[in-house]
Amino acid sequence: MEIIDFFLNLLKDPRTAIGGWITDLGPIWVYTPLFFVIFCETGLVFTPFLPGDSLLFAAGVFCTEGGGLNVYAALCIFSAAAILGNTSNYWIGRGFGHAIIDSGRVKSLTPERIEKIHGFFEKWGALTIVITRFFPFLRTFTPFIAGTSHMNFAKFTLFNAIGGILWVSTFTLLGYFFGGIPFVQDHFEWIIIAIVVISFIPTVGGLIKAKFGSKQATTTESE
C-alpha cells in the first residue's frame, strides 16, 4: 500500500512530494527518487502513468536559488535517467516484446497505441524516438516497440540521447524560468493539471483518429 500511496501523492502534487524529499533526504540524495521515477516512467512498459512532464516542471521550480536543487545537476541526472530508461525499455522489448504483447497483461499497451507508434515510425523513421518523448504513454511504449522491431541499437541510442536531453531540458527549464512567477506559484496545481492535459491532447487525438481510420477501412472493405 505504501508504494501505491507514494505514486498517488506524486501524481496529485509533485511539488509537495519533491519538497518533502528535499527536507527528508537533503540536497544530494533528493536526486535518487527523482531519478527513479523518471527512469521507471520511460523504462518500464507497465508504468506509463507516472508523471514525467509535470515532475520535471516541478523539479525545475526547485532549481531556482534557494530551492534545494541545482539546475545543472538536475539536467544531467534527469537526462541520464530518461536515456537509461528508454534503453532498458528497448531491451525489454527486444527480449520479451512479443510475449508481453501476446499476453495482454499490459492493458495500457492497446492495439491502437501500437498502431499509432508504427504509424510514427513509417512517417518519421528514427526521429520517432525524439518526437514521442513529448507524448505521454507513447514515450513509454516507443522504445519498447523499437526493441520489439529489432531497430538498430546504435541508431536508437543516438536518437534516444537527443530526445531524452530535449525532453528533460524543455520541461525542467520551463519550471526553472517560469516557476517563480507569482501567478504560477499561486496557481501551481492548475498549472500542473494544464501541463498534463496539454501533453495528452496529441496522444488522445491521434488515438481517436487511428480508431476511426481503422473503422472506416473496415467499412470500406466490407462494402
Side-chain angles (χ1 to χ4, degrees):
M1 288 297 294
E2 289 185 5
I3 191 68
I4 295 176
D5 290 337
F6 169 82
F7 287 132
L8 287 175
N9 291 332
L10 186 59
L11 287 164
K12 181 181 178 182
D13 190 355
R15 182 174 60 170
T16 299
I18 295 173
W21 295 340
I22 292 173
T23 302
D24 296 339
L25 301 175
I28 296 178
W29 289 104
V30 66
Y31 296 102
T32 302
L34 291 166
F35 180 98
F36 172 76
V37 173
I38 294 168
F39 176 89
C40 289
E41 198 250 1
T42 58
L44 301 176
V45 73
F46 50 83
T47 53
F49 57 85
L50 291 176
D53 303 335
S54 57
L55 182 73
L56 292 173
F57 181 87
V61 174
F62 285 97
C63 288
T64 55
E65 187 175 354
L69 298 179
N70 178 277
V71 66
Y72 301 108
L75 289 172
C76 292
I77 292 170
F78 299 163
S79 294
I83 293 167
L84 290 173
N86 258 24
T87 303
S88 168
N89 221 342
Y90 171 90
W91 287 110
I92 291 173
R94 187 152 179 163
F96 311 101
H98 292 295
I100 292 173
I101 292 172
D102 292 342
S103 72
R105 292 182 178 178
V106 183
K107 302 301 182 184
S108 53
L109 186 59
T110 61
E112 289 81 9
R113 289 196 173 108
I114 295 174
E115 182 180 347
K116 178 70 174 175
I117 293 169
H118 282 303
F120 267 110
F121 275 116
E122 289 175 7
K123 184 174 182 179
W124 300 104
L127 195 59
T128 297
I129 305 297
V130 178
I131 296 171
T132 54
R133 276 288 189 181
F134 296 87
F135 290 70
F137 279 79
L138 295 188
R139 68 168 154 261
T140 302
F141 299 137
T142 295
F144 176 81
I145 296 299
T148 303
S149 304
H150 284 234
M151 179 180 180
N152 178 272
F153 183 63
K155 181 186 290 186
F156 170 83
T157 300
L158 172 62
F159 286 91
N160 176 27
I162 295 171
I165 293 170
L166 280 176
W167 176 58
V168 166
S169 299
T170 297
F171 285 97
T172 303
L173 293 179
L174 279 174
Y176 177 70
F177 287 114
F178 298 104
I181 296 174
F183 178 83
V184 176
Q185 290 286 346
D186 294 340
H187 302 85
F188 195 83
E189 289 76 12
W190 289 107
I191 297 294
I192 292 297
I193 292 172
I195 290 173
V196 173
V197 170
I198 292 170
S199 298
F200 269 101
I201 287 174
T203 302
V204 174
L207 291 174
I208 292 173
K209 184 179 178 181
K211 193 174 186 65
F212 276 98
S214 175
K215 285 184 177 179
Q216 188 175 10
T218 303
T219 304
T220 303
E221 287 177 4
S222 63
E223 292 176 353

